[in-house]
Amino acid sequence: MTGIGRELADMMDRRKVGILCVQETRWKGSKARCIGGGFKLFYHGVDGRRNGVGVILKEQYAKSVLEVKRVSDRVMFMKLEIDGVMMNVVSAYAPQVGCAMDEKEKFWSELDEVVMTVPKGERVVIGADFNGHVGEGNRGDEEVMGRYGVKQRNAEGQMVVEFEKRMDMAVMNTF
């Protein structure tokens, strides 16, 4: 993501996006900085060569931030109060196919913990690169996803579906 902060801000402005979760930022550190165009980036990364997550907010939402919790270079949580509504935004970046199973289990454990700490009645939105294919068809999984998807479900996609079931959530978009 290095060098494209302003490009993202311009895209967000054109498309009228106020909150954007980003993954694979490859920025080291835990900071917040203005990226231009009235947008602010909150990010966390431990290695400038891999991983890293962030949330970009339009200035009006940046003023509403109550808490930022940088869990790891794969999971970041932000609490905002927008028009009296508590909004919890999670940016997550799952390990890719081929990564060690213990790394994948650590990621899902961190994400579970973050989502479970959100009080009932507050909204949760997860913007993530889950690095999995949930596949087409939803037999047995109707409560968490629609039937239109791409390709066959892989092991990482199954982990996504299992997470959605555990958290009583749903897959809203895949590509």
Side-chain angles (χ1 to χ4, degrees), residues 1-170:
M1 187 159 140
T2 304
I4 67 165
R6 182 56 198 234
E7 186 178 330
L8 283 171
D10 290 343
M11 180 275 306
M12 290 176 71
D13 189 50
R14 276 192 322 275
R15 295 185 183 195
K16 298 184 181 355
V17 174
I19 301 173
L20 179 69
C21 294
V22 292
Q23 295 79 34
E24 212 169 346
T25 59
R26 297 183 183 148
W27 284 343
K28 189 175 182 178
S30 298
K31 299 178 184 167
R33 65 182 185 136
C34 293
I35 59 173
F39 290 89
K40 189 170 190 175
L41 166 67
F42 296 79
Y43 69 95
H44 178 67
V46 295
D47 182 341
R49 296 181 314 262
R50 62 188 289 259
N51 302 343
V53 290
V55 178
I56 303 173
L57 302 174
K58 192 169 185 135
E59 190 174 314
Q60 73 188 74
Y61 298 128
K63 294 175 182 175
S64 301
V65 174
L66 302 176
E67 177 184 359
V68 177
K69 185 176 180 184
R70 295 164 173 101
V71 178
S72 70
D73 63 344
R74 292 193 177 273
V75 179
M76 181 176 161
F77 159 86
M78 181 177 288
K79 184 182 291 274
L80 303 95
E81 184 176 2
I82 301 172
D83 297 328
V85 176
M86 298 305 282
M87 176 76 69
N88 298 274
V89 178
V90 180
S91 182
Y93 180 49
Q96 299 88 336
V97 173
C99 286
M101 185 53 75
D102 62 331
E103 187 176 359
K104 293 176 185 180
E105 289 170 353
K106 180 179 182 237
F107 165 79
W108 289 107
S109 175
E110 290 172 347
L111 189 57
D112 281 1
E113 187 176 324
V114 165
V115 174
M116 288 189 297
T117 63
V118 175
K120 293 283 186 205
E122 293 186 9
R123 297 190 183 173
V124 179
V125 176
I126 301 173
D129 180 348
F130 283 126
N131 279 311
H133 298 287
V134 295
E136 60 183 339
N138 64 350
R139 186 166 296 174
D141 300 321
E142 298 87 351
E143 72 276 14
V144 297
M145 61 182 277
R147 63 179 177 231
Y148 302 106
V150 179
K151 299 184 180 179
Q152 298 290 337
R153 184 175 298 170
N154 62 8
E156 289 74 12
Q158 184 61 37
M159 291 177 191
V160 173
V161 170
E162 290 168 2
F163 169 77
E164 300 300 334
K165 287 181 177 180
R166 277 193 312 275
M167 298 299 145
D168 195 26
M169 299 177 101

